[in-house]
Amino acid sequence: MSIASPAVAVAAPPVPINPDDSSPAQAPGSEAAVERLRLLDDPQEWSAFSRPDVKRANYWESNILIEGMHCAACALTLEDALLGVPGVVTADVSAGSHRARVVWSADAVRPSDWMGAVQAAGYRAVPANDAFARERRKTEARKALWRLLVAGLCMMQVMMYAYPAYVAEPGDLTAEMEQLLRWASWVLTLPVVLFSCGPFFGSAMRDVLHRRISMDLPVALGMLITFAVSTAGTFEPLGIFGREVYFDSLTMFVFFLLSGRWLELRLRDRTAGALEVLMNRLPDSVARRAGDGTYERVPVRRLVAGDVMRILPGETFPADGVVLQGETTVDEALLTGESRPVARGVGAAVIAGSHNLSTVVQVRVERLGHQTRFAQIVALMESASTTKPPIARLADRIAKPFLLAVLLAAGLAAAFWWGRGPGHALMVAVAVLVVTCPCALSLATPAAMLAAAGTLARRGVLVRRLEAFEALAAIDTVVFDKTGTLTRDAMVLGDVQTRAGVAPEQALAMAATLAHYSLHPVSRALVLAAVGAASSAPWQAEGVRELAGAGVSGRVRSDSAGGAPIELRLGSADFCGVEIARPDTLQACLSDAQGWLATFEFHEDLRSDAIATVAALQGAGIAVHLLSGDSLSAAARVAAQVGIIAFKGACSPQDKLDFLRSAQQQGHRVAVVGDGLNDGPVLAGAHVSFAFGQAVPLAQAQADFVVLGDQIGAVAQALSLARRTLRVVRQNLWWAAGYNAVCVPLAMVGWMPAWLAGLGMGMSSLLVVLNALRLSYSAKPAKTPLPCHDLAGVQ
């Protein structure tokens, strides 16, 4: 499914779900909850959480949040539930980001139908930018913390009562004292079972009712068996389970499991929070100018192109527009990668999602909704948050069979040890149930890749597909486009040659006076060059005329110098009636009545970090090529400037594609970096590709990575981060596999008590997430590319 979509949610959905909706009537799957979802069936509401599919008529792509899921098995269950609804074409659910992408036909199904299927499966589906989703998460996080605190407090008290039994010698404790300690432990364990274990029991009961299995089922069984065995031993100390009670083990492994889950929740929100921060960036309302000149507060969705809005300091621009009045500074860091505030005055463009920092400005709305740059960025990030790399899909597929094997192994272990004692046998089964939970395996890949994607997003690089990290880490060749990639779109003034008696500064000032009346790139370069040059006197122009494709003519004069106006021509050699001395260079000529007056040579403006980026890639053993549609001489000049040896000029899009296919047939893994204007085929055909978002609408980009800023060093940084990401993924997978390989046999032979199994399971998942979190702090947003040794040292 392409992310090229003409609409995207840019405001809070019209039917938010209140954070206090926790009553049974509002529970997932209840009639009241389903009835609430039917409000989303109005087509006017779809644009708040969906966008049309440009490839198929009347098909929509929706992004939703899934609340209540905990593991990869949940993700597969939800995908099956969604795909079981007629009219749903594709459904991708990510266990790492808790998001789902659903493509559905408006002719066959309505949002309430497939959202209702999610509710019926026991989960809550809400639009991805639901106004209360964050509040509900905060509420749930507070509940999780309370459960953890209750479990921790009770665990410490139970351990105090269990300690005498561990250290007492035979005869030290009377039967009455031992029974009293057991009763005290049972009373203190009740809050843990009834309150702290609630999420595990609730999830397991939901799975049983729906005849499915998830990672919470083995854990809940372990908790229930431990409590039942210990309770039986407390009430009947002379019965078959009266030999020993395990309240200390139960409270300990509940505490460890809740600790790991709570920390995992906090860390996941931190690593995958870049998308939420971006999506919730737009305001709900804005001050719009009315016909009588006053301002009224209106919802953002009521804005139309041409409206004038007033943006106060600290507010966010809700649409793309042009400043009509006022001067301010704007924070565009999340949208363009520019870390420093930028100045915006009258006539300057502002983009939706950026923050007004300084003063009040009036802005005329130019683009809204799906047309804004903000909407296209959100679409890219939503796509990345729901994609699944091949490794993650493999983990999802084996999750359910693995859980069935866990239940079978626990049963076999209990049967094997039953002869030694029913209590001991059941506790061995509990240890097997808890220690083999594959949470770490299911988190290994998505946690690392989401952390890396969030890091790149903060640097101004958007990841379209998470699997692109795997491809990028393996590349050995990088192919650069020239114009708009290694170079900027603008020209830069180089050498200035003048007629005898005319100073270069004077010629430049005269030429810039005419160039003010033209939008040609050469004219803009002359104007910019004149701003920084010291001219002897200001010049004024009159009677200026422009001949498209040829040049500008008019009269200029200097009031301070006096004299009659001078008739000038600025443009091509033919237009000025002169001959070019160096036809292989880009030149503009200036002439007067006497003939040639000056020649201005221009060259393309290299990106400030192009040379260092190429050097960094070459130092890392990457072969770097330059393919340009410009002339061979132009390509050679840029290649020489940045240090690229292999280059080709006058390349058509087909020539670039042929070069790419030839390199791939030779076994090379190729990354392509282009501006997206005419590089679509080669960007789509490369193993991995980068496009600079400034040069092309983001929704049309074929690239795997979209660079929002103007630093080409992002390519080298992304390569370094991709290699670190794959290394972290391998570490996580090896740890998850090694942990199970060691701990499962220990649990089955009875050498691992239940509390230690709970600690191992919780710490295993936590270690995986913490290891992935290193990618969020591995590098700060940089203004320059990494040096050669930073890349070369990453294997």
Side-chain angles (χ1 to χ4, degrees), residues 80 163 291 296 474 730:
D80 293 341
Y163 181 74
E296 58 177 348
R730 286 193 292 267

Side-chain angles (χ1 to χ4, degrees), residues 144-359:
L145 183 58
W146 273 110
R147 293 187 186 101
L148 174 62
L149 293 176
V150 169
L153 178 62
C154 294
M155 176 196 69
M156 291 187 291
Q157 298 300 317
V158 170
M159 288 301 299
M160 289 177 58
Y161 295 136
Y163 181 74
Y166 285 118
V167 299
E169 297 292 336
D172 288 350
L173 285 178
T174 63
E176 292 79 5
M177 179 59 69
E178 185 175 359
Q179 187 66 8
L180 179 61
L181 293 176
R182 288 189 178 188
W183 274 104
S185 298
W186 181 80
V187 171
L188 289 169
T189 304
L190 283 177
V192 177
V193 174
L194 298 178
F195 177 65
S196 298
C197 295
F200 300 103
F201 290 149
S203 179
M205 180 60 67
R206 179 187 62 200
D207 294 333
V208 171
L209 293 177
H210 289 86
R211 299 179 181 179
R212 61 174 185 251
I213 185 173
S214 72
M215 294 180 188
D216 279 343
L217 181 58
V219 173
L221 281 176
M223 294 175 180
L224 190 60
I225 291 172
T226 305
F227 182 71
V229 169
S230 301
T231 299
T234 300
F235 281 83
E236 293 187 35
L238 299 180
I240 60 173
F241 298 114
R243 179 179 177 184
E244 188 174 358
V245 295
Y246 305 94
F247 295 118
D248 54 338
S249 295
L250 173 61
T251 54
M252 285 180 69
F253 83 71
V254 169
F255 174 75
F256 291 140
L257 289 176
L258 290 175
S259 298
R261 182 164 289 189
W262 184 74
L263 290 173
E264 176 191 323
L265 173 66
R266 296 295 302 271
L267 294 175
R268 184 181 65 244
D269 288 345
R270 206 164 174 180
T271 55
L275 176 58
E276 180 182 308
V277 170
L278 186 64
M279 290 186 64
N280 295 327
R281 200 173 173 89
L282 293 189
D284 295 328
S285 61
V286 66
R288 183 180 64 181
R289 190 170 69 188
D292 58 0
T294 61
Y295 285 88
E296 58 177 348
R297 204 78 185 173
V298 299
V300 169
R301 65 178 64 245
R302 291 177 55 186
L303 288 176
V304 296
D307 282 346
V308 176
M309 52 187 181
R310 181 177 62 193
I311 309 298
L312 303 177
E315 290 186 339
T316 301
F317 294 96
D320 292 352
V322 175
V323 178
L324 298 181
Q325 180 179 330
E327 294 185 358
T328 187
T329 54
V330 177
D331 177 13
E332 299 179 350
L334 277 180
L335 303 173
T336 66
E338 175 58 58
S339 59
R340 294 171 298 181
V342 293
R344 293 290 183 261
V346 175
V350 292
I351 55 179
S354 57
H355 283 305
N356 182 19
L357 299 179
S358 303
T359 59

